[in-house]
Each structure stands twice: as C-alpha cells, then as structure tokens.
Amino acid sequence: MKVCVVGSGGREHALASALSRTAQVVLAPGNPAMSGFERTSVPPEQVEADLWVIGPEAPLVSGLADRIRARGGCVFGPGEGGARLEGSKVWMKELLVAARVPTAQFRAFDDPEPALHYLGTLPGPWVVKTDGLAAGKGVLVTEDRGEAARDIREKLSGRAFGAAGRRIVVEEGLTGQELSVMALCDGQRAYPLAAAQDHKRLGDGGTGPNTGGMGAFSPVPGAGDDLIGDVMERAVLPTLHALRKRGIDFRGTLYAGLMLTDDGPKVLEFNVRFGDPEAQVVLPRWEGDVAAALRAAAQGQLSDRDAPSFSDRAAVCVVLAAPGYPEQPVTGGFIDGLEQARAIKGVDLYAAGVGEEEGRLVTAGGRVLGVTGLGKDLAEARQLAYRAADLISWPGLLRRNDIAEVAAR
Ligand code: AMP
Ligand code: GLY
C-alpha cells in the first residue's frame, strides 16, 4: 500500500514513521529533515496513492479531503463539512449542546457591547476565543476581567486575527487537569487511542501565552480505560452521531480536548485531526498495523481487528521552538546536533519548521523539532528526551524544561 501523508510538520513526520512500518510512504510536501522518506512537491490531489492521510487542519477545513474523494481517492480525514467542527468554534459549541455533550457555558458574539455584558455575568476565570482557525493561539484564558474585556474589543476589531476573529465565543473558565483523547472514526464507529496530555503554554509552570503545544506525554497517570470509555460514551460517540444526523460522514480522527472538572470531563474543543505534538507521543506507542487501521477508517469499515493497542512504554515529547514563537518566530538559524541526538537509543526526532540553506538545515518555522523519548516509564522517557534535546541547538532556541515533570514524579 502506498500512503500519501499531507503536511510538513512533526505530526506528519510521526505519521510517516508509524505508517512506514507496513506501508510505503510519500510526504507531500514534508520538510528537508525528514530523511529516509520519499517527498514530493506535487499537489496532494495529483499524487498517486492508495490512501491519503491529511495531517493539518487548514487543508481539511478548505475541503482537500472532498477534492481527493471526488477523484475516487481513499482519504483518512473529514471533508469540509466535518472539519467545521474545528474551523468554527461557534458551530462546534452549538453541535455539542445539541448532542448534550458536557462543555463550558458560552455565548457567541459579533459585537463588543453584548459580549462585555455577558462577561459581567460569568464568575471567572474568563475565556475569549476567536471563532475561526488561529493555530492554537486565538484563545485567552484569564483571571483578570479587564484583560478579557480588552481582548474582546481587540478580537472583534479584526486587528488581532483578521476575519478569523471577527466572531468570538466568550465562555466560563473551567479548572482541572487537561486531557487529550483521540479516536479513529469511520463515520459510524470509533476506537480510542491512548490518552495524552499537552502543554499549551509557552513557559515553565504553564505561564506565558498559549501556543500550538510545547510538549506532550502519554500515557497520562489516572487516565485509564474507564475514563477513556467515559469520554467515548459521553463526548466522542454523541458527537459522531450528531455529525451523522447532519449528513456528515466523518472519517478521520476526532480529537477531544478535555478538562477533567469536579463535575466530570468537559469538552474544551474538538479537533478533526491528530494533535501536534500529541501524535509524537501516541503514534510511537501504537502497536499493530497503523496503515491498515487508517485505511479501514477511510473506507468506512473499522472493525475490532483495527482497534488500536498500545505498548507499555511511556513517551515524552519536548518541542524545540524558534525565538519569538508564538508571536513572531525568527527563522534562519543553523541547526546543530541532530545526528548526535538521533543516535541516542530510545529517542525519535520529529522535524517541523525545518528548511535548508546552503546545504545546511535551518529553522524555518515556530515549532522546529519534537524530541520524543521512549522509556519504561514517564521518568525514563523524560530523561531521554531532555538528554537528546540538550544536544540540539540554534541561536535563541526556546523550550520548556518541565514537560511531564509532575506526571513523572
Ligand atoms: P482550545 O483551542 O479551545 O482548546 O483552547 C486552547 C487552550 O485554552 C486549551 O487547551 C485550554 O488550556 C485553554 N482553554 C480553552 N477553553 C477553556 C475553558 N473554557 N476553561 C479553561 N481553559 C480553557
Ligand atoms: N496540541 C494541540 C493541537 O494539536 O491542537
């Protein structure tokens, strides 16, 4: 089987590695640090393949899966209709309410005055989100009502996020532990993957701005089969059925971003793809034929045979980013130490914002590399990931030093 992986980030690198255990992989377009894989600059629609796996949200939201299916291709990834779940937070929240999926109390606004009034009725912390895609950066969570009010005005002015921000969701802030549960869906059935936890904030201790994700780990202590089963029953399956009721045949990954509150798990967001960097800790632990499972989902034919099972090994991924991330990453720095880091047993490197200049690898995006360590437990996996990360450098490299620290204790 030949699989075309669409995208160029760390998640796509992890997908290519997992798929290549049983299939031939071509990356469209991938990046220069994805050595050992065939890459193509041909538009994905025109690549010859038996299966397409679309990594990022933007091409899903703009209907790439529909275009490939229209040509008879077999695609893992929802069409434009299903991708709306991620492309519009307002639409997603309304669907969750209709499906009775637990989620934070909210309202949607186009004008600042009613939004500010609603803000005053919530006890805080307060959350303001852009409706459209903002690469994980369109969300403000704050305990300062004045800051929330300023953010409402700023977002609705269109200055901060352009059209993506002209509509917003204002919602109650939930507190608790966060958890990511991804599930393979074939339109009707869904099978969960191992749970993961992401670190969204830029700085140690969960400080600083929200990012696309600075690191992740899996498994998550306390998130056993019971909790995952509960998330499937209360969040994933009702959402899949609500989509179906709207005529949407969702074949791809439903990713539930959850807060484990005192009242049980509540959905913060749904994504319509594998998480990044969650994929970099979940896929390496997946035992079995990943390509066959994704193809079965794409064909609407998932069965118990495809149910993913996971190794007992733990995985920790530390993201290395360019200076200025997430606001304005400064790129073009020479990357050193990759070979030494890669040589450590139990370490996988997943390349994201990497380019090439004068035959050398350079930073070319905000999140540059994911360094995944695999060990007998989270402590060992974490130690390996940081040992490898310490060997890699470029001017102004940013990283967190506390990925999985609390969980590994
Ligand atoms: P989202 O893109 O909706 O997942 O938001 C990004 C991050 O913002 C989440 O992973 C949470 O850390 C945080 N967040 C989003 N919604 C809420 C909420 N209602 N309460 C507390 N934190 C939230
Ligand atoms: N790491 C969060 C995401 O992929 O949306």
Side-chain angles (χ1 to χ4, degrees):
M1 177 179 9
K2 184 163 182 184
V3 186
C4 175
V5 175
V6 180
S8 62
R11 160 186 50 214
E12 288 74 38
H13 198 173
L15 276 165
S17 297
L19 289 161
S20 68
R21 289 185 230 143
T22 52
Q24 186 190 345
V25 172
V26 54
L27 279 148
N31 73 57
M34 295 176 175
S35 50
F37 292 104
E38 183 187 342
R39 294 166 48 219
T40 180
S41 52
V42 167
E45 295 94 313
Q46 290 165 25
V47 173
E48 296 266 333
D50 304 301
L51 172 69
W52 280 256
V53 178
I54 303 176
E57 57 276 19
L60 291 165
V61 169
S62 65
L64 178 62
D66 300 311
R67 294 197 296 280
I68 299 172
R69 287 192 182 109
R71 293 165 159 241
C74 180
V75 187
F76 183 84
E80 191 179 346
R84 237 180 132 187
L85 208 51
E86 182 163 359
S88 166
K89 295 213 190 266
V90 176
W91 193 81
M92 180 265 289
K93 292 291 277 191
E94 284 168 357
L95 186 123
L96 293 192
V97 171
R100 298 176 184 271
V101 174
T103 187
Q105 208 192 112
F106 76 103
R107 278 180 57 192
F109 300 95
D110 305 285
D111 292 314
E113 289 316 316
L116 294 167
H117 176 77
Y118 179 65
L119 190 71
T121 69
L122 296 174
W126 296 274
V127 183
V128 183
K129 301 181 175 182
T130 57
D131 178 44
L133 291 184
K137 292 166 244 163
V139 177
L140 174 77
V141 182
T142 180
E143 303 208 348
D144 173 351
R145 203 166 96 190
E147 189 185 13
R150 281 192 297 282
D151 195 57
I152 287 175
R153 290 187 200 284
E154 179 74 11
K155 280 181 175 141
L156 286 175
S157 73
R159 278 192 299 270
F161 290 96
R166 286 235 173 85
R167 196 144 199 241
I168 58 168
V169 169
V170 178
E171 64 183 44
E172 73 176 305
L174 301 174
T175 47
Q177 268 241 90
E178 280 192 54
L179 185 72
S180 304
V181 175
M182 300 183 274
L184 297 187
C185 304
D186 75 348
Q188 299 196 57
R189 288 163 291 254
Y191 287 98
L193 305 182
Q197 194 171 314
D198 185 12
H199 296 260
K200 284 255 166 60
R201 302 278 186 142
L202 182 68
D204 284 359
T207 54
N210 260 315
T211 68
M214 293 300 291
F217 60 89
S218 175
V220 180
D225 290 347
D226 286 356
L227 179 59
I228 293 176
D230 193 36
V231 169
M232 293 299 288
E233 288 306 316
R234 291 214 269 166
V236 174
L237 289 167
T239 301
L240 190 62
H241 294 149
L243 288 166
R244 200 167 175 76
K245 248 168 83 185
R246 286 163 178 71
I248 295 167
D249 187 13
F250 191 102
R251 299 181 183 188
T253 303
L254 263 183
Y255 161 139
L258 304 150
M259 189 73 89
L260 305 179
T261 73
D262 292 341
D263 302 329
K266 293 191 179 180
V267 172
L268 297 175
E269 62 168 340
F270 263 112
N271 294 325
V272 299
R273 45 156 182 95
F274 291 101
D276 186 341
E278 289 88 332
Q280 291 90 311
V281 291
V282 170
L283 296 175
R285 298 187 54 229
W286 182 345
E287 294 180 321
D289 192 337
V290 176
L294 299 195
R295 178 158 70 174
Q299 292 172 330
Q301 290 173 353
L302 274 178
S303 68
D304 288 347
R305 201 183 47 214
D306 307 301
S309 63
F310 291 85
S311 84
D312 292 336
R313 292 205 299 168
V316 173
C317 177
V318 177
V319 169
L320 309 182
Y325 179 73
E327 280 92 11
Q328 274 202 321
V330 179
T331 59
F334 287 119
I335 301 175
D336 283 313
L338 285 189
E339 288 317 315
Q340 295 89 313
R342 216 193 309 264
I344 299 177
K345 198 162 165 278
V347 169
D348 289 324
L349 296 188
Y350 297 120
V354 180
E356 207 167 20
E357 263 174 39
E358 298 157 17
R360 285 188 65 181
L361 296 178
V362 295
T363 60
R367 291 188 293 173
V368 180
L369 281 173
V371 183
T372 295
L374 285 153
K376 66 177 191 312
D377 53 22
L378 287 171
E380 189 179 276
R382 178 169 194 278
Q383 208 182 15
L384 277 167
Y386 277 108
R387 178 139 68 89
D390 284 343
L391 298 171
I392 300 171
S393 64
W394 55 79
L397 181 151
L398 287 182
R399 73 178 206 202
R400 278 180 66 158
N401 290 307
D402 65 346
I403 304 301
E405 186 175 30
V406 175
R409 272 185 201 143

Coordinates of all heavy atoms in Angstrom, one line a residue, residues 246-328:
R246 N -26.5 15.2 10.7 CA -26.4 16.4 9.8 C -25.9 16.0 8.4 O -25.5 16.8 7.7 CB -25.5 17.5 10.4 CG -26.2 18.2 11.6 CD -25.1 19.0 12.4 NE -25.8 19.7 13.5 CZ -26.3 19.1 14.6 NH1 -26.4 17.8 14.7 NH2 -26.9 19.9 15.5
G247 N -25.8 14.7 8.2 CA -25.4 14.2 6.9 C -23.9 14.2 6.7 O -23.4 14.1 5.5
I248 N -23.2 14.3 7.8 CA -21.7 14.3 7.7 C -21.1 12.9 8.1 O -21.3 12.4 9.2 CB -21.1 15.4 8.6 CG1 -21.6 16.8 8.0 CG2 -19.6 15.3 8.6 CD1 -21.4 17.9 9.0
D249 N -20.4 12.4 7.1 CA -19.8 11.0 7.2 C -18.3 11.3 7.7 O -17.5 11.4 6.8 CB -19.9 10.4 5.9 CG -19.4 8.9 5.9 OD1 -19.3 8.4 7.0 OD2 -19.2 8.3 4.8
F250 N -18.1 11.3 9.0 CA -16.8 11.7 9.5 C -15.8 10.6 9.5 O -15.9 9.7 10.4 CB -17.0 12.3 10.9 CG -15.7 13.0 11.4 CD1 -15.6 14.4 11.3 CD2 -14.6 12.3 11.9 CE1 -14.5 15.1 11.8 CE2 -13.5 12.9 12.3 CZ -13.4 14.3 12.3
R251 N -14.9 10.6 8.6 CA -13.8 9.5 8.5 C -12.5 10.1 8.8 O -11.9 10.8 7.9 CB -13.9 8.8 7.2 CG -15.2 8.2 6.9 CD -15.2 7.5 5.6 NE -16.6 6.9 5.4 CZ -16.9 6.1 4.4 NH1 -15.9 5.8 3.5 NH2 -18.1 5.7 4.2
G252 N -12.0 10.0 10.0 CA -10.7 10.6 10.4 C -10.6 10.5 11.9 O -11.2 9.7 12.5
T253 N -9.8 11.4 12.4 CA -9.5 11.5 13.9 C -10.4 12.5 14.5 O -10.4 13.7 14.1 CB -8.1 11.9 14.1 OG1 -7.2 10.9 13.5 CG2 -7.8 11.9 15.6
L254 N -11.2 12.1 15.5 CA -11.9 13.1 16.3 C -11.0 13.2 17.6 O -10.7 12.2 18.2 CB -13.3 12.6 16.7 CG -14.5 13.1 15.9 CD1 -15.7 12.6 16.6 CD2 -14.5 14.6 15.9
Y255 N -10.6 14.4 17.8 CA -9.7 14.7 19.0 C -10.5 15.5 20.0 O -10.8 16.7 19.7 CB -8.5 15.4 18.4 CG -7.6 16.2 19.4 CD1 -6.2 16.1 19.2 CD2 -8.1 17.0 20.4 CE1 -5.4 16.8 20.1 CE2 -7.3 17.7 21.2 CZ -5.9 17.6 21.0 OH -5.1 18.4 21.8
A256 N -10.7 15.0 21.1 CA -11.4 15.7 22.2 C -10.4 16.3 23.1 O -9.6 15.6 23.7 CB -12.4 14.8 22.9
G257 N -10.4 17.6 23.2 CA -9.6 18.3 24.2 C -10.5 18.5 25.4 O -11.5 19.1 25.3
L258 N -10.1 17.9 26.6 CA -11.0 17.9 27.7 C -10.4 18.6 28.9 O -9.2 18.6 29.1 CB -11.2 16.4 28.1 CG -11.7 15.5 27.0 CD1 -11.3 14.1 27.2 CD2 -13.3 15.6 27.0
M259 N -11.3 19.0 29.8 CA -10.9 19.4 31.1 C -11.6 18.5 32.1 O -12.8 18.2 32.0 CB -11.4 20.9 31.4 CG -10.8 21.5 32.7 SD -9.1 21.9 32.5 CE -9.2 23.6 31.9
L260 N -10.8 17.9 33.0 CA -11.4 17.0 34.0 C -11.8 17.8 35.2 O -11.0 18.1 36.1 CB -10.3 15.9 34.4 CG -9.7 15.1 33.2 CD1 -8.7 14.1 33.7 CD2 -10.8 14.4 32.4
T261 N -13.0 18.2 35.2 CA -13.5 19.1 36.3 C -14.1 18.2 37.4 O -14.3 17.0 37.3 CB -14.6 20.0 35.7 OG1 -15.8 19.2 35.5 CG2 -14.2 20.7 34.4
D262 N -14.5 18.9 38.5 CA -15.1 18.2 39.6 C -16.5 17.6 39.2 O -17.0 16.7 39.8 CB -15.3 19.2 40.8 CG -14.0 19.6 41.4 OD1 -13.0 18.9 41.2 OD2 -14.0 20.6 42.1
D263 N -17.1 18.2 38.1 CA -18.4 17.6 37.6 C -18.1 16.6 36.5 O -19.1 16.4 35.7 CB -19.2 18.7 37.0 CG -19.5 19.8 38.1 OD1 -19.6 19.4 39.3 OD2 -19.7 21.0 37.7
G264 N -16.9 16.1 36.3 CA -16.7 15.1 35.2 C -16.0 15.8 34.1 O -15.8 17.0 34.1
P265 N -15.6 15.0 33.1 CA -14.9 15.5 31.9 C -15.8 16.5 31.1 O -16.9 16.2 30.8 CB -14.5 14.3 31.1 CG -14.9 13.1 31.9 CD -15.8 13.5 33.0
K266 N -15.2 17.6 30.7 CA -16.0 18.5 29.8 C -15.1 18.8 28.6 O -13.9 19.0 28.7 CB -16.3 19.8 30.5 CG -17.3 19.6 31.6 CD -17.9 20.9 32.2 CE -18.9 20.7 33.3 NZ -19.4 21.9 33.8
V267 N -15.7 19.0 27.4 CA -15.0 19.2 26.2 C -14.7 20.7 26.1 O -15.5 21.6 26.1 CB -15.9 18.8 25.0 CG1 -15.2 19.2 23.7 CG2 -16.1 17.3 25.0
L268 N -13.4 21.0 25.9 CA -12.9 22.3 25.6 C -13.0 22.6 24.1 O -13.2 23.7 23.7 CB -11.5 22.5 26.1 CG -11.2 22.4 27.6 CD1 -9.7 22.5 27.8 CD2 -11.9 23.4 28.3
E269 N -12.6 21.6 23.4 CA -12.6 21.8 21.9 C -12.6 20.4 21.2 O -12.3 19.4 21.9 CB -11.3 22.5 21.5 CG -10.0 21.6 21.9 CD -8.7 22.1 21.2 OE1 -8.8 22.8 20.2 OE2 -7.7 21.7 21.7
F270 N -13.0 20.4 20.0 CA -12.8 19.2 19.2 C -11.9 19.6 18.0 O -12.1 20.7 17.4 CB -14.1 18.7 18.6 CG -14.7 17.6 19.3 CD1 -15.9 17.8 20.0 CD2 -14.1 16.3 19.4 CE1 -16.5 16.7 20.8 CE2 -14.6 15.3 20.2 CZ -15.8 15.5 20.8
N271 N -10.9 18.8 17.8 CA -10.1 18.9 16.6 C -10.4 17.8 15.6 O -10.9 16.7 16.1 CB -8.6 18.9 16.9 CG -8.2 20.2 17.7 OD1 -8.7 21.2 17.5 ND2 -7.3 20.0 18.6
V272 N -10.1 17.9 14.4 CA -10.6 17.0 13.4 C -9.4 16.2 12.8 O -9.4 15.8 11.6 CB -11.4 17.6 12.3 CG1 -12.6 18.3 12.9 CG2 -10.6 18.7 11.5
R273 N -8.3 16.0 13.6 CA -7.0 15.5 13.1 C -6.3 15.1 14.3 O -6.7 15.3 15.4 CB -6.3 16.6 12.4 CG -6.4 17.9 13.2 CD -5.5 18.9 13.1 NE -5.7 20.0 14.1 CZ -5.2 20.1 15.3 NH1 -4.3 19.2 15.7 NH2 -5.5 21.1 16.1
F274 N -5.1 14.5 14.0 CA -4.2 14.1 15.2 C -3.7 15.4 15.8 O -3.4 16.4 15.1 CB -3.1 13.2 14.7 CG -3.4 11.9 14.2 CD1 -3.6 11.6 12.9 CD2 -3.7 10.9 15.2 CE1 -3.9 10.3 12.5 CE2 -4.1 9.6 14.7 CZ -4.2 9.3 13.4
G275 N -3.4 15.4 17.1 CA -2.8 16.5 17.7 C -1.3 16.6 17.4 O -0.7 15.6 17.1
D276 N -0.8 17.8 17.5 CA 0.6 18.0 17.3 C 1.0 18.9 18.5 O 0.6 20.0 18.6 CB 0.8 18.8 16.0 CG 2.3 19.0 15.6 OD1 3.1 18.9 16.6 OD2 2.6 19.2 14.5
P277 N 1.8 18.4 19.5 CA 2.6 17.2 19.5 C 2.0 15.9 20.1 O 2.8 15.0 20.3 CB 3.8 17.7 20.3 CG 3.2 18.5 21.4 CD 2.0 19.2 20.7
E278 N 0.7 15.8 20.2 CA 0.2 14.5 20.8 C 0.5 13.3 19.9 O 0.8 12.2 20.4 CB -1.3 14.6 21.0 CG -1.8 15.5 22.1 CD -2.0 16.9 21.7 OE1 -1.3 17.3 20.7 OE2 -2.8 17.6 22.3
A279 N 0.5 13.5 18.6 CA 0.8 12.4 17.7 C 2.2 11.9 17.9 O 2.5 10.7 17.8 CB 0.7 12.8 16.2
Q280 N 3.1 12.8 18.3 CA 4.5 12.4 18.5 C 4.7 11.5 19.8 O 5.8 11.0 20.0 CB 5.4 13.6 18.5 CG 5.5 14.4 17.2 CD 4.5 15.5 17.0 OE1 3.3 15.2 17.2 NE2 4.9 16.7 16.6
V281 N 3.7 11.4 20.6 CA 3.8 10.5 21.8 C 2.9 9.3 21.7 O 3.1 8.3 22.3 CB 3.7 11.2 23.1 CG1 4.8 12.2 23.4 CG2 2.4 12.0 23.2
V282 N 1.8 9.5 20.9 CA 0.8 8.4 20.9 C 1.2 7.4 19.7 O 1.2 6.2 19.9 CB -0.6 9.0 20.7 CG1 -1.6 7.9 20.4 CG2 -1.0 9.7 21.9
L283 N 1.5 7.9 18.6 CA 1.8 7.0 17.5 C 3.0 6.1 17.7 O 2.9 4.9 17.4 CB 2.0 7.8 16.2 CG 0.8 8.6 15.7 CD1 1.1 9.4 14.4 CD2 -0.4 7.7 15.4
P284 N 4.1 6.6 18.4 CA 5.2 5.6 18.6 C 4.8 4.5 19.6 O 5.5 3.5 19.6 CB 6.3 6.5 19.3 CG 5.9 7.9 18.9 CD 4.4 7.9 18.8
R285 N 3.7 4.7 20.4 CA 3.3 3.6 21.3 C 2.3 2.7 20.7 O 1.9 1.7 21.3 CB 2.7 4.3 22.5 CG 3.6 5.2 23.3 CD 3.0 5.6 24.7 NE 2.5 4.5 25.4 CZ 1.3 4.4 25.9 NH1 0.4 5.4 25.8 NH2 0.9 3.3 26.6
W286 N 1.8 3.0 19.5 CA 0.7 2.2 18.9 C 1.3 1.0 18.3 O 2.2 1.1 17.4 CB 0.1 3.1 17.8 CG -1.1 2.4 17.0 CD1 -1.4 1.1 17.0 CD2 -2.0 3.1 16.2 NE1 -2.5 0.9 16.2 CE2 -2.9 2.1 15.7 CE3 -2.2 4.4 15.8 CZ2 -4.0 2.4 14.9 CZ3 -3.3 4.7 15.0 CH2 -4.1 3.8 14.5
E287 N 0.9 -0.2 18.8 CA 1.4 -1.4 18.2 C 0.4 -2.0 17.2 O -0.8 -1.9 17.4 CB 1.6 -2.5 19.4 CG 2.7 -2.0 20.3 CD 2.8 -3.0 21.5 OE1 1.8 -3.6 21.9 OE2 4.0 -3.2 21.9
G288 N 0.9 -2.5 16.1 CA 0.0 -3.0 15.1 C 0.1 -2.3 13.8 O 1.0 -1.4 13.6
D289 N -0.9 -2.6 12.9 CA -0.8 -2.1 11.6 C -1.5 -0.8 11.4 O -2.7 -0.7 11.2 CB -1.4 -3.2 10.6 CG -1.0 -2.9 9.2 OD1 -0.8 -1.7 8.8 OD2 -1.1 -3.8 8.4
V290 N -0.8 0.3 11.6 CA -1.4 1.7 11.6 C -2.0 1.9 10.2 O -3.2 2.5 10.1 CB -0.4 2.7 12.0 CG1 -1.0 4.1 11.9 CG2 0.2 2.5 13.4
A291 N -1.3 1.6 9.2 CA -1.8 1.9 7.8 C -3.1 1.2 7.6 O -4.1 1.7 7.0 CB -0.7 1.5 6.8
A292 N -3.2 -0.1 8.0 CA -4.4 -0.9 7.8 C -5.6 -0.3 8.5 O -6.7 -0.2 8.0 CB -4.2 -2.3 8.2
A293 N -5.3 0.2 9.8 CA -6.4 0.8 10.6 C -6.9 2.1 9.9 O -8.1 2.3 9.9 CB -5.9 1.0 12.0
L294 N -6.0 2.9 9.5 CA -6.4 4.2 8.9 C -7.1 4.0 7.6 O -8.1 4.6 7.3 CB -5.2 5.1 8.7 CG -4.4 5.6 9.9 CD1 -3.5 6.8 9.6 CD2 -5.3 5.9 11.1
R295 N -6.7 2.9 6.8 CA -7.4 2.6 5.6 C -8.8 2.1 5.9 O -9.8 2.5 5.2 CB -6.6 1.6 4.7 CG -7.5 1.3 3.4 CD -6.6 0.8 2.3 NE -6.2 -0.5 2.6 CZ -5.5 -1.3 1.7 NH1 -5.2 -0.8 0.5 NH2 -5.1 -2.5 2.1
A296 N -8.9 1.3 6.9 CA -10.3 0.7 7.2 C -11.2 1.9 7.6 O -12.4 2.0 7.2 CB -10.2 -0.3 8.4
A297 N -10.7 2.9 8.4 CA -11.5 4.0 8.8 C -11.9 4.8 7.5 O -13.0 5.2 7.4 CB -10.7 4.9 9.8
A298 N -10.9 5.0 6.6 CA -11.2 5.8 5.4 C -12.2 5.1 4.5 O -13.0 5.8 3.8 CB -9.9 6.0 4.7
Q299 N -12.3 3.8 4.6 CA -13.3 3.0 3.8 C -14.6 2.9 4.5 O -15.5 2.2 4.0 CB -12.7 1.7 3.5 CG -11.5 1.7 2.5 CD -10.8 0.4 2.3 OE1 -10.8 -0.4 3.2 NE2 -10.2 0.2 1.2
G300 N -14.7 3.4 5.7 CA -16.0 3.2 6.5 C -16.1 1.8 7.0 O -17.2 1.3 7.2
Q301 N -15.0 1.1 7.3 CA -15.1 -0.3 7.6 C -14.2 -0.7 8.8 O -13.5 -1.7 8.8 CB -14.6 -1.2 6.4 CG -15.6 -1.1 5.3 CD -15.1 -1.8 4.0 OE1 -13.9 -2.2 4.0 NE2 -16.0 -2.0 3.0
L302 N -14.2 0.1 9.8 CA -13.4 -0.2 11.0 C -14.1 -1.4 11.7 O -15.3 -1.5 11.8 CB -13.5 1.0 12.0 CG -12.4 2.1 11.9 CD1 -12.7 3.1 12.9 CD2 -11.0 1.5 12.0
S303 N -13.2 -2.3 12.2 CA -13.8 -3.4 13.0 C -12.8 -3.7 14.2 O -11.8 -3.0 14.3 CB -13.8 -4.7 12.1 OG -12.5 -5.1 11.8
D304 N -13.3 -4.6 15.0 CA -12.5 -4.8 16.3 C -11.0 -5.2 15.9 O -10.1 -4.9 16.7 CB -13.1 -5.9 17.1 CG -14.4 -5.5 17.7 OD1 -14.6 -4.2 17.7 OD2 -15.2 -6.3 18.2
R305 N -10.8 -5.7 14.7 CA -9.5 -6.1 14.3 C -8.5 -4.9 14.3 O -7.3 -5.0 14.4 CB -9.6 -6.7 12.9 CG -8.5 -7.6 12.5 CD -8.7 -8.1 11.1 NE -9.1 -7.0 10.2 CZ -9.9 -7.1 9.2 NH1 -10.5 -8.2 8.9 NH2 -10.2 -6.0 8.4
D306 N -9.1 -3.7 14.0 CA -8.3 -2.5 13.8 C -8.2 -1.7 15.2 O -7.5 -0.7 15.2 CB -9.0 -1.5 12.8 CG -9.3 -2.2 11.5 OD1 -8.3 -2.7 10.9 OD2 -10.5 -2.3 11.1
A307 N -8.9 -2.2 16.2 CA -8.8 -1.5 17.5 C -7.4 -1.3 17.9 O -6.6 -2.2 18.1 CB -9.6 -2.2 18.5
P308 N -6.9 0.0 18.0 CA -5.5 0.2 18.4 C -5.1 -0.3 19.8 O -5.9 -0.2 20.7 CB -5.4 1.7 18.4 CG -6.6 2.2 17.6 CD -7.6 1.2 17.8
S309 N -4.0 -0.9 19.8 CA -3.5 -1.3 21.2 C -2.1 -0.6 21.3 O -1.4 -0.3 20.4 CB -3.4 -2.8 21.3 OG -2.4 -3.3 20.4
F310 N -1.7 -0.4 22.6 CA -0.5 0.4 22.9 C 0.5 -0.3 23.8 O 0.1 -1.0 24.6 CB -1.0 1.7 23.5 CG -1.7 2.6 22.5 CD1 -3.1 2.4 22.3 CD2 -1.0 3.5 21.7 CE1 -3.7 3.1 21.3 CE2 -1.7 4.2 20.7 CZ -3.0 4.0 20.5
S311 N 1.7 0.0 23.5 CA 2.8 -0.6 24.3 C 2.8 -0.1 25.7 O 2.3 1.0 25.9 CB 4.1 -0.4 23.6 OG 4.7 0.8 24.0
D312 N 3.4 -0.8 26.6 CA 3.5 -0.3 28.0 C 4.6 0.8 28.1 O 4.7 1.4 29.2 CB 3.9 -1.4 28.9 CG 2.8 -2.5 29.0 OD1 1.7 -2.1 28.8 OD2 3.1 -3.6 29.3
R313 N 5.3 1.0 27.1 CA 6.4 2.1 27.2 C 5.7 3.4 27.2 O 4.7 3.7 26.6 CB 7.3 2.0 25.9 CG 8.1 0.7 26.0 CD 9.4 0.9 25.2 NE 9.2 1.2 23.8 CZ 10.1 1.6 23.0 NH1 11.4 1.7 23.4 NH2 9.9 1.8 21.7
A314 N 6.4 4.3 27.9 CA 5.9 5.7 28.0 C 6.6 6.6 27.0 O 7.8 6.3 26.7 CB 6.1 6.2 29.4
A315 N 6.0 7.7 26.6 CA 6.6 8.6 25.6 C 6.5 10.0 26.1 O 5.4 10.4 26.6 CB 6.0 8.4 24.2
V316 N 7.5 10.8 26.0 CA 7.6 12.2 26.3 C 8.2 13.0 25.1 O 9.2 12.6 24.7 CB 8.4 12.5 27.6 CG1 8.5 14.0 27.8 CG2 7.8 11.8 28.8
C317 N 7.5 14.0 24.7 CA 8.0 14.8 23.5 C 8.2 16.2 24.0 O 7.3 16.9 24.6 CB 7.0 14.8 22.4 SG 7.5 15.9 21.0
V318 N 9.4 16.7 23.8 CA 9.8 18.1 24.1 C 9.9 18.8 22.8 O 10.6 18.4 21.9 CB 11.1 18.1 24.9 CG1 11.5 19.6 25.1 CG2 11.0 17.3 26.2
V319 N 9.2 19.9 22.7 CA 9.2 20.7 21.5 C 10.3 21.8 21.6 O 10.4 22.5 22.6 CB 7.8 21.4 21.2 CG1 7.9 22.4 20.1 CG2 6.8 20.3 20.8
L320 N 11.1 21.9 20.5 CA 12.1 23.0 20.5 C 11.6 24.0 19.5 O 11.3 23.7 18.3 CB 13.4 22.4 20.0 CG 13.9 21.1 20.8 CD1 15.3 20.6 20.3 CD2 14.0 21.4 22.3
A321 N 11.6 25.3 19.9 CA 11.0 26.3 19.0 C 12.0 27.4 18.7 O 13.0 27.6 19.4 CB 9.7 26.9 19.7
A322 N 11.6 28.2 17.7 CA 12.5 29.3 17.3 C 12.2 30.5 18.3 O 11.1 30.7 18.8 CB 12.1 29.7 15.9
P323 N 13.2 31.4 18.4 CA 13.0 32.6 19.3 C 11.8 33.4 18.7 O 11.7 33.5 17.5 CB 14.3 33.3 19.2 CG 15.0 32.8 18.0 CD 14.6 31.4 17.8
G324 N 11.0 34.0 19.6 CA 9.9 34.8 19.1 C 8.6 34.1 19.0 O 7.6 34.7 18.8
Y325 N 8.7 32.7 19.0 CA 7.5 31.9 19.0 C 6.7 32.2 20.2 O 7.3 32.3 21.3 CB 7.8 30.4 18.9 CG 6.6 29.5 18.8 CD1 5.8 29.5 17.7 CD2 6.3 28.7 19.9 CE1 4.7 28.6 17.6 CE2 5.2 27.9 19.9 CZ 4.4 27.9 18.7 OH 3.3 27.0 18.7
P326 N 5.3 32.3 20.2 CA 4.5 32.1 19.1 C 4.2 33.4 18.3 O 3.6 33.3 17.2 CB 3.2 31.6 19.7 CG 3.1 32.2 21.1 CD 4.6 32.4 21.5
E327 N 4.5 34.5 18.8 CA 4.1 35.8 18.2 C 4.8 35.9 16.8 O 4.1 36.0 15.8 CB 4.3 37.0 19.0 CG 3.2 37.2 20.1 CD 3.6 36.6 21.4 OE1 4.8 36.1 21.5 OE2 2.7 36.5 22.3
Q328 N 6.1 36.0 16.9 CA 6.8 36.3 15.6 C 8.1 35.5 15.6 O 9.2 36.0 16.0 CB 7.2 37.8 15.6 CG 6.0 38.6 15.0 CD 6.5 39.9 14.4 OE1 7.4 40.5 15.0 NE2 6.0 40.3 13.3

